[in-house]
Amino acid sequence: MSLRLGDKAPDFTADSSLGQINLYEYLGDGWGVLFSHPADYTPVCTTELGRTAALQDEFAKRNTKVLALSVDSAESHRSWIKDINETQHVDVQFPIIADEDRKIAEAYDMIHPNASVNATVRSLFIIGPDKAIKLIITYPASTGRNFVEILRVIDSLQLTAYHSVATPADWKDGEDVVVVPAIKTEDIPAKFPKGFTEIKPYLRLTPQPNK
Ligand code: BEZ
């Protein structure tokens, strides 16, 4: 059965471009992004891993560690990283997992046989400090992902984990947020001292509480 939000991320120990890695040990108490790509030495994947490397500091600021994965070998990953660094002008420091026996791909349902019987699709999982899965997205091989959007989701997840708010459409860090319906309007001033705007009884906005 495929994984759903809130499920525990399956732990694994596997070879990678940086040697053997255990997922839970690697993540420690922080957040994680585990994402698969169809294959090494392919054009869209090269840009995706390059973009992720360019954003390494942004992930680190969010206490988030990144792991890429495909069914290619660790040796292939290490050689391909040289190309990524050269062509995308980056320094890939995160591990690329070598899932040659596809055990991890199967545990995370990253192989979609109607798309490809022998390669992972572009799956991405955000994993919280409790090791629960917080986000799942799946893109086809033909569409490279937007990694700024992944950072935006991490910002939302880290904010909403600690405050009774949700983030509206296209929200970006620093913008107003929505007070969750569970909070009664009369209780908002005590909980949100920065004030609030009631647009409708069910739509109450407040400045981002942790800014
Ligand atoms: C790519 O990463 O460029 C790619 C991989 C598999 C199929 C199509 C494109």
Side-chain angles (χ1 to χ4, degrees):
M1 201 171 74
S2 57
L3 293 171
R4 290 177 289 199
L5 299 185
D7 287 349
K8 279 270 177 271
D11 195 15
F12 58 80
T13 299
D15 199 10
S16 84
S17 54
L18 300 181
Q20 206 175 73
I21 266 190
N22 172 264
L23 176 69
Y24 281 20
E25 279 173 19
Y26 178 70
L27 297 182
D29 294 333
W31 291 69
V33 173
L34 171 67
F35 69 104
S36 59
H37 59 274
D40 294 356
Y41 295 105
T42 50
V44 176
C45 302
T46 301
T47 63
E48 282 195 323
L49 273 78
R51 186 68 182 128
T52 307
L55 294 169
Q56 268 162 172
D57 289 350
E58 292 298 323
F59 285 104
K61 260 193 237 166
R62 291 161 177 83
N63 191 24
T64 301
K65 289 192 174 157
V66 171
L67 308 94
L69 177 149
S70 78
V71 299
D72 300 290
S73 68
E75 197 184 327
S76 164
H77 291 334
R78 279 191 284 271
S79 304
W80 180 43
I81 284 171
K82 290 183 202 146
D83 278 10
I84 300 171
N85 289 344
E86 177 198 327
T87 61
Q88 309 302 303
H89 313 292
V90 294
D91 177 15
V92 172
Q93 288 171 7
F94 56 85
I96 310 179
I97 304 294
D99 187 32
E100 288 185 279
D101 61 9
R102 302 178 194 178
K103 283 207 174 113
I104 304 165
E106 277 164 24
Y108 281 83
D109 201 22
M110 291 166 163
I111 293 181
H112 295 202
N114 292 330
S116 167
V117 287
N118 52 19
T120 44
V121 289
R122 298 188 199 283
S123 298
L124 186 146
F125 299 83
I126 296 180
I127 301 167
D130 57 358
K131 306 294 177 292
I133 292 174
K134 309 294 183 186
L135 173 95
I136 303 172
I137 57 169
T138 306
Y139 276 44
S142 52
T143 306
R145 286 157 286 196
N146 181 333
F147 287 85
V148 173
E149 166 64 1
I150 304 309
L151 293 170
R152 192 189 75 87
V153 177
I154 294 169
D155 287 339
S156 172
L157 287 166
Q158 293 184 342
L159 171 69
T160 59
Y162 300 108
H163 298 273
S164 300
V165 297
T167 57
D170 297 340
W171 172 87
K172 290 196 283 305
D173 191 42
E175 294 179 355
D176 286 356
V177 296
V178 165
V179 178
V180 295
I183 306 285
K184 290 185 187 144
T185 299
E186 59 265 33
D187 295 335
I188 294 179
K191 281 189 171 283
F192 298 97
K194 290 181 183 170
F196 74 103
T197 308
E198 184 181 272
I199 295 166
K200 288 280 180 190
Y202 59 84
L203 176 55
R204 294 92 37 97
L205 298 180
T206 188
Q208 186 172 328
N210 64 349
K211 284 280 162 185

